[in-house]
Amino acid sequence: MKASTLFATLKTAAMTAAKSPNPTPVQAAFKTALQRELRGAQDAGSREALMRAAAAACREQLAERWAATQTADAKRGVDAPVRRVHYLSMEFLMGRALGNAIAALGLDETLREAFAEQGQALPDVLERENDAALGNGGLGRLAACFLDSFAELGLPSFGYGLRYEYGMFAQGIQDGRQVERPDDWLRLGNAWEVPRADVRYPVGFGGRVEVDADGSRRWVPAEALVAQAYDFIVPAHHSERVSTLRQWHASSAAPIDFKAFCRGAYQQAAKHRVQADAINWVLYPDDSTDPGRELRLKQEAFLVSASLQDLISRHLREFGSLHNLGKTNAIHLNDTHPALAPAELMRLLLDEHGMAWDEAWAITRQAVSYTNHTLMPEALEKWPLYLFEALLPRHLEIIYEINHRFMEELKARFPGDEGLMSRVSLIEEDGGFGSGGERRVRMAHLAIVASHRVNGVAALHSELMVQTIFADYARIWPERFHNVTNGVTPRRWLQQANPELSGLIDSRIGTGWRKDLAELAQLKPLADDAELGRQFRSVKRANKERLAALIRRELGIAVNPDSLFDVQIKRIHEYKRQLLNILHVVARYQAIVANPGANWTPRTVVIAGKAASAYQMAKSIIQLAHDVGRVVNSDPRVGDKLKLVFLPNYSVSLAETILPAAELSEQISTAGTEASGTGNMKFALNGALTIGTWDGANIEMAEAMGTENMFVFGLRTEQVAKIKSLGYDPRLYVEENRQLKAVIDAIASGEFSGGDTHRYKALVDKLLGHDSYLLMADFADYVATQLQVDALYQDPVAWNRRAILNVAGMGWFSSDRTIADYVERVWSVKSLN
């Protein structure tokens, strides 16, 4: 990777402006803070007390760096080449913070010694920290990786999110079925958040729009909330810079209704406070009901309003005028959830600060940029007009005006093209996907119209984006669309998750890769080194033993560490095709039972992930995984030749144990459906080979490491389109493939469900009648490719060579490179020209 000149300048400034950490004062201050915290703890020797004390002591050190970072950023001046970035995202999947903090501060050995004096081991203490329940899947984890890179690269920035009290949900399993319960991660407090009592902003909902004597319009909300800031500090590892995740907590601006309280109507007295507090409760409330839709829109509006008010307040303190706001600030929308931001920014500039429309719109267009993360139409949010009118009447007026001016522009540029105007209008007049015929506001359309740059997250995704869902906009503004391939932070996903492999890499190529992941390419000529291969396999074996111990402890299932660890961990969704993975397990099981004496490559299949609470088909897939696993794992004819385990409550911390142990990474989405993926990068970075479709970032990974070092199978995107256009009949594939038919028949007949033929009837009927994601079409090639996996795994030298080449090819997929691309093409001042 060759960083751009602008990016290189930014990073150099970050490294030199922040003084190099001096270990002695940091360690001394830390020890003092640690002892102070422990003296105040009733259970000073417990792992929980040590964890809390260490977190508080680390936070004290990082708070000084945070203050220095903010002071430095405030002095940048109006002519700084890089704008301050405000990254708006509904989720940030942060994981545990203590391990990252002590690594950034260089306090690993200090803590080991301090904990040993208390009779505790560092890893055991780190395990006592709860994962921050602020995200769900790849979208939120990407945002967390970006915060890490913001700090590492010294990028002036704020991440903005909501302070969820119960996350999405904690996943439990009862009788093989997913059950959801609140993820009460804050029940013992959060040592990492810093309340900002002086950072509070009003946010309103409902009410009416009034017209003043001068003709200006003013929103008078009926519901008044207060957004209170809580900061989560994310440190750099190679400087004293930190980045900030500012989370907003909602509360009612009004106290209790004292009269109602006095007459004993306690619920009525506090009703408005409960309604306000609900905004904080759950990430992605089920929007299949009217109350769920209302709460979800309120969450998005609350995030956007508080964040933009904070931006404007900071900008006025630093510059005194809003006229240069767009030149000095970037507002980035992480997917469509924060797409209300342009309308809210316009409202603030027009109504609160008296700016004229044309200047406000010019500033908005300068500031806003948008990343699209999916081609799935159901993910491109559309809100009913009645809901907007009820909750956000002034915003709806502004959206109407934006749309009117946009339509007038199109009439001039494309006279007579009524079809184009209908397709790109911000208002969907005749309903659409899932609309029920309602008129709706198209939020993705608003994001595109208001942004100066729009990007996809992998080369194929960006190409398909301008060919399909946004083709009309690409015709109108071709210069606006570009690609930024995702990346992951090597600090979290190699350094911390896999210290043994990190140490091995250090011993061969030095530590430079920790700052610049592109230096992993130095491993490529070493891939045939027999001793490196032996050491690599030893590291992998140790990681597999740790995962096997976790499986035994959590599930009571003994798996063989010498078997191939075949892993698929991600959100459970039909397009990600965990079901195809399970069908292969069934086929393999049937083949083993039919010929148990064959030379089978032992395999342990690990699946983890959550299904959305209202997504019944995904929940059925989870149940099938458990039913198949129960039968396979208990069959004495199979033994260690095949195991299937489902690890519940997938999280960042669980991933940090699974990824280093994985040997085969399942990236098997239907071609053209996965925007990018970042799990695929984390697996390869940890030395797992990939079996995958030619989809998302798999393509760029294959090109980086060599296509021959990835197991590619299945229909390509153009083949998927062709087969659907010709009329896809999944039954034909079943009838022509005896192995596939046996698998489907076994599931349908109740072989894995105790004779219950109804349990998976809906699932089987969908596969045979409406196989939207072409599992039946890809099954044969998938199974054949898995046989290639078996053959290679029986040659450890050849397998290790490919695994090392996978690691060597991952330099491009650092989130540092991703952020460098954003800086160069989106967030720099020159990107506005």
Side-chain angles (χ1 to χ4, degrees):
M1 173 188 68
K2 296 294 184 184
S4 68
T5 303
L6 179 61
F7 165 63
T9 302
L10 176 71
K11 188 169 184 178
T12 300
M15 298 300 180
T16 56
K19 297 177 181 179
S20 299
N22 186 337
T24 303
V26 169
Q27 291 174 358
F30 174 80
K31 287 182 177 179
T32 299
L34 182 67
Q35 290 303 317
R36 183 180 65 245
E37 294 293 331
L38 289 176
R39 280 196 297 271
Q42 293 183 351
D43 53 345
S46 74
R47 294 171 181 174
E48 288 78 6
L50 289 170
M51 183 273 294
R52 291 193 299 270
C58 285
R59 194 184 75 178
E60 187 173 303
Q61 303 299 311
L62 294 177
E64 296 180 6
R65 298 187 179 189
W66 183 89
T69 297
Q70 295 307 309
T71 299
D73 288 352
K75 296 178 180 178
R76 292 177 306 117
V78 72
D79 295 321
V82 178
R83 299 179 292 166
R84 180 185 267 128
V85 176
H86 304 79
Y87 195 81
L88 274 59
S89 179
M90 285 299 288
E91 51 174 306
F92 289 85
L93 193 57
M94 303 302 296
R96 293 170 176 158
L98 181 56
N100 187 55
I102 63 175
L105 291 166
L107 293 171
D108 302 70
E109 290 307 315
T110 301
L111 270 178
R112 287 183 194 280
E113 294 172 4
F115 291 166
E117 292 174 2
Q118 301 291 331
Q120 301 288 357
L122 175 60
D124 294 335
V125 173
L126 296 180
E127 284 288 325
R128 306 311 298 172
E129 181 182 2
N130 289 327
D131 276 52
L134 302 172
N136 172 39
L139 182 77
R141 186 52 230 175
L142 180 76
C145 284
F146 281 7
L147 289 175
D148 179 274
S149 289
F150 290 170
E152 190 72 7
L153 277 59
L155 182 68
S157 61
F158 274 84
Y160 283 111
L162 294 183
R163 182 178 178 265
Y164 303 106
E165 293 184 17
Y166 303 113
M168 187 173 174
F169 58 80
Q171 181 192 54
I173 302 294
Q174 292 182 359
D175 298 324
R177 297 178 176 87
Q178 172 179 294
V179 292
E180 302 89 21
R181 61 179 184 273
D183 187 355
D184 194 10
W185 72 287
L186 287 172
R187 63 188 180 279
L188 298 178
N190 177 14
W192 293 105
E193 65 183 13
V194 181
R196 301 291 178 191
D198 57 330
V199 183
R200 299 162 60 87
Y201 300 100
V203 179
F205 293 105
R208 64 190 185 280
V209 178
E210 296 183 346
V211 182
D212 293 336
D214 61 358
S216 60
R217 306 184 74 79
R218 182 168 52 90
W219 180 28
V220 183
E223 181 181 3
L225 305 183
V226 173
Q228 169 70 56
Y230 288 78
D231 285 352
F232 192 112
I233 300 172
V234 181
H237 282 240
H238 298 101
S239 78
E240 293 190 6
R241 292 278 307 191
V242 298
S243 64
T244 307
L245 168 59
R246 179 155 287 178
Q247 306 161 78
W248 300 109
H249 185 94
S251 60
S252 175
I256 61 170
D257 182 338
F258 197 70
K259 290 183 179 180
F261 182 85
C262 289
R263 65 173 182 266
Y266 304 133
Q267 290 182 335
Q268 180 183 343
K271 181 180 178 181
H272 60 292
R273 300 186 69 83
V274 173
Q275 289 176 334
D277 199 41
I279 290 175
N280 309 307
W281 287 347
V282 175
L283 168 66
Y284 301 143
D286 181 3
D287 60 359
S288 63
T289 65
D290 285 339
R293 279 190 289 272
E294 178 178 326
L295 178 56
R296 192 154 170 171
L297 180 56
K298 289 179 76 171
Q299 285 182 328
E300 294 177 3
F302 184 81
L303 164 66
V304 162
S305 182
S307 302
L308 294 182
Q309 289 183 71
D310 193 48
L311 181 162
I312 289 173
S313 175
R314 185 183 306 107
H315 181 84
L316 287 173
R317 287 197 306 271
E318 294 178 3
F319 297 103
S321 169
L322 293 177
H323 299 297
N324 57 2
L325 184 144
K327 184 183 176 183
T328 57
N329 296 279
I331 300 167
H332 199 85
L333 313 180
N334 188 31
D335 216 10
T336 314
H337 310 118
L340 189 65
E344 171 66 0
L345 182 58
M346 288 293 291
R347 185 191 71 82
L348 292 169
L349 296 177
L350 295 170
D351 299 358
E352 304 296 330
H353 297 279
M355 193 174 286
W357 180 280
D358 288 344
E359 184 180 11
W361 183 242
I363 288 173
T364 298
R365 284 285 316 282
Q366 274 188 321
V368 175
S369 51
Y370 165 50
T371 294
N372 171 270
H373 284 275
T374 180
L375 299 172
M376 300 292 173
E378 63 266 31
L380 303 178
E381 289 185 325
K382 303 174 185 179
W383 294 110
L385 291 190
Y386 74 81
L387 193 55
F388 252 92
E389 290 171 338
L391 291 180
L392 304 164
R394 179 59 178 141
H395 297 78
L396 185 57
E397 287 185 346
I398 290 170
I399 290 170
Y400 278 147
E401 182 63 20
I402 293 171
N403 197 48
H404 170 71
R405 292 173 182 243
F406 177 41
M407 292 295 104
E408 291 300 308
E409 177 186 341
L410 291 185
K411 286 179 184 178
R413 289 185 58 188
F414 306 95
D417 196 340
E418 298 295 331
L420 173 65
M421 294 178 64
S422 175
R423 292 192 300 272
V424 301
S425 172
L426 305 188
I427 308 300
E428 187 175 62
E429 299 290 348
D430 56 355
F433 184 92
S435 72
E438 297 170 324
R439 297 178 70 214
R440 296 191 167 209
V441 180
R442 296 161 159 165
M443 301 307 292
H445 290 44
L446 174 61
I448 294 171
V449 170
S451 295
H452 74 286
R453 298 289 271 166
V454 177
N455 70 280
V457 289
L460 177 63
H461 169 237
S462 295
E463 180 182 341
L464 292 174
M465 188 175 69
V466 300
Q467 291 175 355
T468 58
I469 56 173
F470 299 143
D472 289 314
Y473 283 108
R475 174 188 169 197
I476 298 168
W477 297 303
E479 74 287 349
R480 194 169 295 187
F481 292 85
H482 67 119
N483 174 63
V484 181
T485 298
N486 283 342
V488 301
T489 168
R491 268 79 61 184
R492 170 76 66 167
W493 296 113
L494 185 50
Q495 243 176 265
Q496 291 168 232
N498 203 339
E500 293 87 354
L501 180 56
S502 298
L504 176 58
I505 295 171
D506 289 346
S507 71
R508 290 305 185 114
I509 65 171
T511 61
W513 64 270
R514 294 173 182 251
K515 294 183 181 180
D516 183 356
L517 199 62
E519 294 196 13
L520 288 179
Q522 296 176 52
L523 288 171
K524 187 173 181 179
L526 304 179
D528 291 312
D529 184 312
E531 178 59 19
L532 176 60
R534 186 194 65 76
Q535 293 173 322
F536 182 90
R537 191 171 187 83
S538 176
V539 167
K540 182 65 72 173
R541 169 67 191 227
N543 289 327
K544 290 171 69 177
E545 288 176 349
R546 275 192 286 274
L547 178 56
L550 183 148
I551 292 170
R552 182 66 177 264
R553 183 171 66 250
E554 297 296 323
L555 303 177
I557 300 172
V559 301
N560 180 8
D562 291 321
S563 64
L564 168 63
F565 276 25
D566 172 356
V567 180
Q568 187 175 22
I569 49 174
K570 55 183 73 226
R571 178 167 51 98
I572 307 298
H573 196 290
E574 289 170 272
Y575 89 84
K576 293 181 182 290
R577 301 205 296 190
Q578 286 92 350
L579 182 53
L580 181 61
N581 189 354
I582 297 168
L583 296 181
H584 169 247
V585 171
V586 174
R588 195 177 191 88
Y589 168 69
Q590 292 175 333
I592 291 172
V593 170
N595 188 9
N599 184 27
W600 293 103
T601 299
R603 187 180 295 226
T604 296
V605 178
V606 178
I607 299 176
K610 296 179 181 179
S613 58
Y615 192 174
Q616 293 305 316
M617 188 58 68
K619 296 173 91 168
S620 181
I621 291 169
I622 290 175
Q623 187 174 11
L624 179 62
H626 282 88
D627 280 348
V628 171
R630 184 181 62 254
V631 171
V632 170
N633 299 342
S634 61
D635 194 325
R637 297 170 295 179
V638 175
D640 284 345
K641 299 182 185 71
L642 181 63
K643 298 287 185 184
L644 171 61
V645 297
F646 187 99
L647 284 167
N649 207 29
Y650 180 55
S651 64
V652 172
S653 297
L654 184 56
E656 288 177 301
T657 299
I658 296 173
L659 286 162
E663 293 173 294
L664 185 67
S665 163
E666 298 274 350
Q667 307 297 328
I668 58 176
S669 55
T670 312
T673 60
E674 183 68 77
S676 170
T678 53
N680 46 4
M681 303 170 191
K682 296 163 194 166
F683 277 111
L685 192 60
N686 282 275
L689 303 190
T690 299
I691 182 169
T693 49
W694 201 246
D695 195 28
N698 290 353
I699 300 169
E700 291 156 88
M701 287 172 53
E703 292 168 345
M705 70 179 66
T707 307
E708 69 280 4
N709 295 311
M710 181 181 287
F711 297 101
V712 180
F713 77 95
L715 298 168
R716 302 289 177 101
T717 303
E718 61 276 10
Q719 294 171 316
V720 169
K722 182 177 180 180
I723 198 172
K724 287 186 174 181
S725 69
L726 293 175
Y728 172 53
D729 185 354
R731 289 181 183 272
L732 293 178
Y733 290 88
V734 177
E735 292 169 1
E736 293 173 358
N737 187 324
R738 294 175 59 187
Q739 186 180 38
L740 177 56
K741 188 175 188 305
V743 170
I744 298 298
D745 287 348
I747 295 171
S749 66
E751 183 175 330
F752 299 101
S753 50
D756 182 352
T757 59
H758 179 75
R759 184 177 301 174
Y760 298 112
K761 186 178 187 303
L763 186 151
V764 171
D765 287 348
K766 192 167 187 179
L767 284 179
L768 297 180
H770 306 284
D771 180 19
S772 305
Y773 298 108
L774 281 70
L775 281 73
M776 302 298 92
D778 273 349
F779 176 84
D781 196 19
Y782 179 56
V783 172
T785 306
Q786 291 284 15
L787 293 177
Q788 297 175 25
V789 173
D790 289 342
L792 184 67
Y793 195 73
Q794 292 186 6
D795 183 348
V797 173
W799 183 278
N800 291 339
R801 178 181 180 277
R802 285 203 196 180
I804 292 168
L805 289 172
N806 269 249
V807 178
M810 285 298 103
W812 175 256
F813 301 96
S814 167
S815 54
D816 294 350
R817 187 273 314 153
T818 304
I819 297 307
D821 283 352
Y822 278 114
V823 168
E824 180 74 14
R825 290 189 253 126
V826 186
W827 299 334
S828 64
V829 174
K830 77 173 189 177
S831 72
L832 300 175
N833 300 328

